[in-house]
Amino acid sequence: MASKYAKQLAKYNSILSKNPKDPHTMSILARIAIKEGRIDDAENYYNSILLNSPDYPEALYMIGFFNMRKNRYNEAVKYFKKLISNGKENAFIYEYLSIMDPKNRREYLEKALDISRDIKIRSNDYKRCSYIAFQTFAWKEYDISLEYANFAYDAKPTNDIINLLGCLYHYNKDYDKALSLFHEVNANYEGQNSYILCNISSCYRHKNSNKMAIRYLEKALEVNNNDKVIYYNIGSIYASIGNRKLAAENFEEALKIDNNYEEAKKALEEIKD
């Protein structure tokens, strides 16, 4: 089956035959190879470019990217650092470096943020920003995660990002802001996501609104009555306000689901002593 890029391939291969070292032509052929899924061919084109034009930005970037995708991090870092030293930095490069070089992660992320703050966030930035937001959350770089989550929210306010923002504000003890976000995503789920309902409950609990905390945990049970942690949390609230009877009932419900649930066992023993 003929390639849909046949005419372009013929045109640029003809140019290349007359000027085999032309980096512009090879970069076009490399891009076509990528579109056709011929990644090895694309890599060969970019490597050929670097043999004769070692500072060619596109080739440096793409060879760094190919090495990163193949987990050849040491090689990838070399190409990305060369781009930076040549004055061709961008947020992507620093974000890639933060993934591959944990030792200098914070420095790279801060530089990526400096660049990102100065550019308009568009819908096609969502994938990049949300990925880094969740990665930095996992790395416990919560302040950076918050900025990226806000970038992602501006690009596309998906439920996952709204919930992540809620979790970050919860971590920062801004329970009112967290509640606002959790209620927003709860409305999107039409009250049918037990995880979000538990997050709402946690905010109310930290605000010492125990009745509201229990109310939302009970709503979570309506969605999923086979979650031991929900019963445990209800029991914990009742125990904290001195209602030993209801606390025991909920710890026992948790143990019906998992009779090896050590936290519930310990809590039940404590209120029975």
Side-chain angles (χ1 to χ4, degrees):
M1 184 177 178
S3 167
K4 69 176 181 178
Y5 300 102
K7 288 184 179 179
Q8 286 177 278
L9 286 168
K11 173 185 174 181
Y12 290 105
N13 275 317
S14 175
I15 295 172
L16 194 63
S17 67
K18 297 172 186 174
N19 187 359
K21 296 182 179 181
D22 179 31
H24 177 68
T25 301
M26 281 192 281
S27 66
I28 293 173
L29 288 168
R31 286 177 228 152
I32 293 172
I34 290 170
K35 290 177 181 177
E36 293 187 325
R38 295 183 288 108
I39 304 302
D40 287 344
D41 288 345
E43 190 169 357
N44 288 335
Y45 279 123
Y46 285 124
N47 276 320
S48 295
I49 291 172
L50 292 177
L51 286 174
N52 300 292
S53 304
D55 291 327
Y56 199 80
E58 182 180 336
L60 285 170
Y61 180 89
M62 291 307 301
I63 292 299
F65 182 77
F66 290 144
N67 276 296
M68 182 179 69
R69 289 291 297 271
K70 294 177 181 179
N71 296 322
R72 298 196 296 245
Y73 288 171
N74 289 338
E75 285 300 306
V77 166
K78 291 178 186 176
Y79 289 101
F80 289 136
K81 283 188 173 180
K82 187 168 185 180
L83 272 169
I84 292 170
S85 67
N86 289 347
K88 301 295 182 180
E89 64 180 6
N90 61 36
F92 288 114
I93 294 172
Y94 286 120
E95 288 158 5
Y96 292 153
L97 287 169
S98 75
I99 294 167
M100 296 184 290
D101 184 3
K103 183 179 178 181
N104 298 298
R105 175 172 289 154
R106 180 80 190 188
E107 176 188 349
Y108 293 135
L109 288 169
E110 287 174 347
K111 288 180 178 178
L113 272 178
D114 286 341
I115 295 171
S116 296
R117 291 187 193 109
D118 293 334
I119 60 176
K120 182 177 176 59
I121 298 298
R122 304 180 185 279
S123 59
N124 59 4
D125 290 313
Y126 172 80
K127 187 175 181 180
R128 171 180 72 89
C129 292
S130 62
Y131 176 80
I132 297 297
F134 281 105
Q135 279 288 74
T136 48
F137 184 82
W139 293 332
K140 299 182 179 180
E141 297 283 0
Y142 298 119
D143 55 335
I144 291 176
S145 180
L146 181 60
E147 287 208 57
Y148 270 101
N150 275 306
F151 291 152
Y153 183 91
D154 290 341
K156 190 191 303 181
T158 64
N159 289 333
D160 286 345
I161 282 297
I162 298 169
N163 182 63
L164 177 61
L165 276 170
C167 291
L168 287 161
Y169 282 110
H170 185 287
Y171 173 81
N172 287 338
K173 299 182 180 181
D174 188 344
Y175 301 117
D176 290 328
K177 180 65 174 176
L179 263 177
S180 174
L181 289 157
F182 288 141
H183 278 305
E184 179 182 351
V185 74
N186 186 50
N188 293 343
Y189 280 118
E190 298 181 344
Q192 294 303 303
N193 186 307
S194 61
Y195 175 71
I196 302 300
L197 292 164
C198 289
N199 285 345
I200 293 172
S201 172
S202 180
C203 290
Y204 281 120
R205 189 172 182 181
H206 280 90
K207 286 166 62 68
N208 295 316
S209 299
N210 289 317
K211 287 184 179 179
M212 290 295 287
I214 291 171
R215 176 184 172 189
Y216 276 92
L217 286 171
E218 288 174 342
K219 286 178 179 288
L221 281 179
E222 291 173 11
V223 177
N224 179 10
N225 65 0
N226 196 41
D227 189 327
K228 64 183 182 182
V229 177
I230 299 175
Y231 284 108
Y232 174 79
N233 285 334
I234 294 174
S236 296
I237 297 173
Y238 278 124
S240 71
I241 59 178
N243 193 327
R244 299 162 71 89
K245 180 177 180 294
L246 289 178
E249 287 178 5
N250 281 279
F251 292 142
E252 286 165 355
E253 288 296 327
L255 289 167
K256 285 179 185 177
I257 297 169
D258 179 2
N259 59 11
N260 292 316
Y261 189 10
E262 292 300 326
E263 289 88 345
K265 281 183 182 180
K266 183 178 179 181
L268 187 59
E269 289 170 4
E270 286 177 353
I271 63 169
K272 286 184 174 180
D273 286 345

